[in-house]
């Protein structure tokens, strides 16, 4: 199969892989396309399989990354996703190679990507990243790791930023998210209703600017849940799973 590069002019005519067939997320998909359009003005590249499938990569210069990282002259991978029947077909390697070729052609020092200490949902598999030449260069509790594939030793050592983050509410559920993922923004109203029905305070904050994202309280800005001021998870979940999550938090006060 072939791969295509989606530009600003193509966004309204081509599918963007996320939430395929999920009509309930149509407004969130429109928001994602608007988000992509703005990021493309800042250098984001969207490259996907020429098929109706969730096989794609988003990357852009790390200086414009919507994440609290310091990695000048590196390329930052927003999302690398291969799912369904296409897993194991070598597409992830092809997409990563495309990013690498682009970064090298621009004279960059390497590529950075955020993953976990193990294979978590919605994050790239760290085993794959290590296989492709990435190494852990920084960590943030409880499990986030910054991976870098350095082309040479001249570049700076990428790190997570330690600047003062946006404030987190001390009581109840606090969710930070962006329009980058339709599932994240599409879930907010349902999660709010479930939380309030249980008598738990709820607050959500959409990161809408680069400055917001680079001062986010979690390295993973797409979606982050806090409870009573403490980070719990980056995982997006259905309403039913979220109800169980809240019950577990109320009982034990820790991540499920």
């Amino acid at each position: 199969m072939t791969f295509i590069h989606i530009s600003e002019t193509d966004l309204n005519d081509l599918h963007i892989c996320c939430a395929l067939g999920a009509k309930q997320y149509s407004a969130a998909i429109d928001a994602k396309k608007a988000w992509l359009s703005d990021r493309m003005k800042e250098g984001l590249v969207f490259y996907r399989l020429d098929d109706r499938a969730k096989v794609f990569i988003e990357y852009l210069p790390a200086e414009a990354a919507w994440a609290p990282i310091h990695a000048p002259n590196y390329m930052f991978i927003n999302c690398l996703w291969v799912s369904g029947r296409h897993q194991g077909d070598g597409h992830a390697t092809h997409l990563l190679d495309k990013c690498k070729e682009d970064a090298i052609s621009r004279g960059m020092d390497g590529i950075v990507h955020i993953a976990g200490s193990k294979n978590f949902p919605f994050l790239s598999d760290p085993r794959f990243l290590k296989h492709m030449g990435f190494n852990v260069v920084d960590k943030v509790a409880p499990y986030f790791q910054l991976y870098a594939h350095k082309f040479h030793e001249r570049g700076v050592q990428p790190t997570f930023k330690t600047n003062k983050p946006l404030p987190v509410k001390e009581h109840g559920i606090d969710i930070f998210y962006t329009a980058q993922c339709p599932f994240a923004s599409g879930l907010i109203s349902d999660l709010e209703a479930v939380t309030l029905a249980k008598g738990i305070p709820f607050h959500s904050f959409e990161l809408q600017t680069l400055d917001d994202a680079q001062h986010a309280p979690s390295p993973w800005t797409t979606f982050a849940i806090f409870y009573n001021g403490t980070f719990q998870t980056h995982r997006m979940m259905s309403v039913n799973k979220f109800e169980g999550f809240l019950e577990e938090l109320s009982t034990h006060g820790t991540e499920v």
Side-chain angles (χ1 to χ4, degrees):
M1 292 186 178
T2 57
F3 290 78
I4 58 175
H5 171 215
I6 297 180
S7 66
E8 275 189 83
T9 56
D10 300 324
L11 278 174
N12 292 327
D13 300 321
L14 298 173
H15 78 80
I16 55 170
C17 304
C18 301
L20 283 172
K23 294 181 179 179
Q24 70 270 34
Y25 294 116
S26 59
I29 292 173
D30 289 341
K32 159 79 174 189
K33 288 186 175 182
W35 186 90
L36 278 175
S37 178
D38 289 340
R39 302 293 76 74
M40 286 174 177
K41 294 180 178 69
E42 300 164 358
L44 183 141
V45 174
F46 189 101
Y47 195 61
R48 71 159 173 84
L49 186 68
D50 190 11
D51 188 27
R52 193 169 177 79
K54 297 174 184 176
V55 181
F56 67 97
I57 190 171
E58 298 174 19
Y59 62 85
L60 78 171
E63 291 87 344
W66 276 46
I69 64 168
H70 176 72
N73 206 40
Y74 281 76
M75 194 72 84
F76 175 76
I77 298 176
N78 264 344
C79 190
L80 174 59
W81 194 0
V82 176
S83 66
R85 69 185 187 281
H86 292 291
Q87 289 185 339
D89 290 343
H91 295 320
T93 298
H94 178 91
L95 292 169
L96 188 55
D97 284 345
K98 173 64 179 176
C99 177
K100 182 177 179 179
E101 291 167 5
D102 196 352
I104 290 174
S105 71
R106 301 189 198 194
M108 291 184 168
D109 297 319
I111 305 170
V112 289
H113 189 34
I114 297 172
S117 55
K118 62 179 182 179
N119 192 15
F120 288 99
F122 304 108
L123 298 178
S124 295
D125 188 340
R127 295 169 299 183
F128 170 73
L129 294 177
K130 292 174 182 176
H131 174 72
M132 296 300 294
F134 285 75
N135 293 294
V136 177
V137 292
D138 202 4
K139 300 179 181 180
V140 168
Y143 50 72
F144 292 108
Q145 298 187 337
L146 184 62
Y147 284 81
H149 177 29
K150 302 174 73 172
F151 303 151
H152 48 71
E153 294 303 318
R154 296 192 301 274
V156 303
Q157 183 81 337
T159 62
F160 287 115
K161 288 186 175 180
T162 57
N163 50 7
K164 186 176 180 180
L166 294 169
V168 179
K169 301 295 183 182
E170 294 182 0
H171 301 289
I173 291 291
D174 204 4
I175 298 179
F176 290 78
Y177 69 101
T178 72
Q180 180 186 350
C181 179
F183 293 110
S185 54
L187 282 169
I188 294 298
S189 60
D190 291 337
L191 301 188
E192 179 179 13
V194 170
T195 305
L196 295 178
K198 291 183 177 294
I200 302 172
F202 181 92
H203 178 262
S204 64
F205 184 91
E206 181 179 359
L207 305 168
Q208 296 183 320
T209 68
L210 177 62
D211 188 66
D212 282 347
Q214 293 191 343
H215 288 81
S218 166
W220 187 252
T221 58
T222 306
F223 190 81
I225 300 177
F226 292 78
Y227 178 65
N228 290 347
T230 301
F231 175 81
Q232 299 297 321
T233 185
H234 74 284
R235 289 177 293 174
M236 292 166 276
M237 59 191 85
S238 66
V239 169
N240 288 339
K241 288 185 178 180
F242 189 68
E243 285 184 310
F245 174 80
L246 291 178
E247 291 174 5
E248 185 71 17
L249 285 178
S250 298
T251 303
H252 301 292
T254 57
E255 179 194 358
V256 177

